[in-house]
Amino acid sequence: MEGSLVDSAAASLCATTEARRRTGRSGPRFLSCSCSSRDEPVTRAWASYSRVSRMPRAVRLVARIKGWNGNGHRWTTALEDSSVLEAREDEYGGMVVDADRLPSDMAAFARSLSASLSYWKLVGKKGVWLKLPLDRSEYIPLAVKEGFRYHHAEESYLMLTYWIPDEPCLLPANASHQVGVGGFVINDQMEVLVVQEKYSASALVGVWKLPTGFIHASEEIFTGAVREVKEETGINSEFVELIAFRHAHNVAFQKSDLFFICMLRPLPGDIKIDEVEIQAAKWMPLAEFIEQPFIQDDHMFKKIADICMQRLRERYCGLTAHSVISKFDGGTSTLYHNVAGPEPGG
């Protein structure tokens, strides 16, 4: 497609250049064609050319960004009023704009964004990812005016997307889940490490519960559980097994929620609570923890307590963490699974 459009544009430009040479007409010089006997001027009247009437800027950008050489023609341009945004191509044929190399003023950004979309449409790109940092928030209305849509926002930026093909958008949606962890820390005296939170729902006031929290970006589930226990109680611990997890929907901001319960082994040390979030922390006998009315009246927490009891009696086996490398993404990840015991009679 690109070649046919550029060839057509080249033929039109060459014919126009020759006509202008014969008639003596001239206009602002911005482009020269090497097939002419002289370096004749050509005007900006691209829209009058039948087969490139809708893509003048894109054709011009092909010449400017890549250069072009076809059928003996080569175009060069001295225009600086339009340029493609700095971007890299992703593995799906889309473009990811470099947020660190955006134009420094709104007018230049608007020109470059429009020119970039024209060029990317011409060369068959698909999705465009545009990350606007907080200090470039004034660019947001300009991007929306061009047809970009909000994708997600973080503390320091807003991500917008643009789907180019005239077909259903295949760009992945914003993250759909938040991930929480709880640490079931039990010592050799069959005592469970529990906390009372300073700020909680009325139903949880005075309840002794497991240390819980959300994992950080790029943090392992078991690492997050160990960290949350340390932050809330001051107790260091070691991961033993992933006991169970709960999946709920339409929680905070209509997101789904994954909550993982990890069994942890405590290391020597004294309790030192996080006084900002935690009212109190202590070691509580397991039986006393399970007999709390809140645990007994809540089906989920009662089931979790039962599972932990079965694990301690070695009637239940949780999932251990194993580092693996997959050819799917080439990176290291953690696979949680049971480790098979010896075969009977083995």
Side-chain angles (χ1 to χ4, degrees):
M1 177 182 176
E2 177 184 341
S4 61
L5 287 170
V6 175
D7 290 347
S8 177
S12 297
L13 283 169
C14 292
T16 303
T17 301
E18 178 60 24
R20 293 187 181 282
R21 185 183 66 79
R22 291 195 303 266
T23 60
R25 295 173 59 193
S26 63
R29 179 180 175 210
F30 74 100
L31 181 141
S32 61
C33 177
S34 60
C35 71
S36 302
S37 58
R38 291 181 297 174
D39 192 17
E40 296 293 345
V42 181
T43 69
R44 291 176 180 262
W46 293 69
S48 63
Y49 303 144
S50 59
R51 297 187 60 189
V52 291
S53 60
R54 299 182 62 188
M55 299 184 182
R57 178 160 40 196
V59 174
R60 189 172 72 215
L61 285 167
V62 171
R64 181 164 184 260
I65 302 303
K66 293 185 174 179
W68 178 79
N69 195 352
N71 297 334
H73 304 283
R74 182 170 182 83
W75 303 349
T76 58
T77 177
L79 279 186
E80 296 297 336
D81 63 342
S82 297
S83 60
V84 171
L85 293 169
E86 295 285 347
R88 63 174 176 83
E89 185 173 358
D90 64 25
E91 58 186 307
Y92 304 104
M95 301 304 297
V96 181
V97 177
D98 188 342
D100 296 324
R101 304 186 67 179
L102 295 171
S104 59
D105 65 84
M106 294 179 65
F109 173 75
R111 291 194 302 269
S112 292
L113 186 61
S114 179
S116 298
L117 291 176
S118 295
Y119 175 64
W120 292 330
K121 289 177 183 178
L122 178 70
V123 296
K125 300 305 176 186
K126 295 182 178 179
V128 181
W129 296 88
L130 176 62
K131 179 179 178 182
L132 293 180
L134 195 61
D135 61 0
R136 291 287 185 268
S137 58
E138 68 273 18
Y139 292 179
I140 296 173
L142 301 175
V144 172
K145 186 177 180 180
E146 284 287 352
F148 278 81
R149 295 178 177 271
Y150 295 157
H151 187 269
H152 69 271
E154 294 292 344
E155 188 174 297
S156 61
Y157 71 86
L158 174 68
M159 181 68 78
L160 301 99
T161 60
Y162 187 102
W163 182 247
I164 295 175
D166 185 18
E167 59 188 41
C169 178
L170 299 180
L171 295 177
N174 183 23
S176 59
H177 287 65
Q178 60 183 13
V179 181
V181 288
F184 186 84
V185 188
I186 187 162
N187 61 21
D188 294 337
Q189 288 74 47
M190 297 295 286
E191 296 173 322
V192 183
L193 182 62
V194 293
V195 300
Q196 285 184 341
E197 295 180 339
K198 277 190 175 181
Y199 311 101
S200 59
S202 58
L204 294 176
V205 174
V207 171
W208 291 98
K209 58 182 287 293
L210 302 178
T212 61
F214 292 105
I215 66 170
H216 296 163
S218 302
E219 184 177 41
E220 296 289 347
I221 292 169
F222 68 88
T223 304
V226 169
R227 175 186 52 76
E228 282 291 341
V229 168
K230 172 66 175 179
E231 289 177 357
E232 293 190 0
T233 69
I235 296 296
N236 290 306
S237 60
E238 295 176 333
F239 173 72
V240 179
E241 287 178 352
L242 174 60
I243 297 300
F245 70 91
R246 179 215 63 183
H247 195 189
H249 304 283
N250 296 318
V251 188
F253 309 107
Q254 290 72 55
K255 300 294 185 183
S256 296
D257 181 271
L258 288 167
F259 179 64
F260 294 86
I261 302 294
C262 297
M263 177 171 283
L264 306 176
R265 180 184 300 109
L267 299 175
D270 297 326
I271 291 175
K272 185 178 180 181
I273 65 170
D274 173 8
E275 296 183 354
V276 175
E277 297 185 10
I278 303 301
Q279 182 68 37
K282 68 177 183 179
W283 292 100
M284 175 182 281
L286 177 60
E288 183 181 341
F289 170 72
I290 294 175
E291 291 303 318
Q292 290 183 99
F294 173 78
I295 299 293
Q296 291 298 312
D297 295 340
D298 187 285
H299 179 74
M300 185 187 73
F301 283 105
K302 187 175 187 303
K303 186 63 177 179
I304 290 173
D306 290 343
I307 291 172
C308 291
M309 286 292 293
Q310 294 301 316
R311 171 63 184 83
L312 292 171
R313 294 169 181 167
E314 298 185 350
R315 296 176 181 174
Y316 178 92
C317 183
L319 307 178
T320 53
H322 303 268
S323 180
V324 295
I325 298 176
S326 171
K327 290 185 177 180
F328 179 76
D329 57 12
T332 301
S333 58
T334 302
L335 182 67
Y336 293 81
H337 62 86
N338 297 120
V339 176
E343 293 292 332

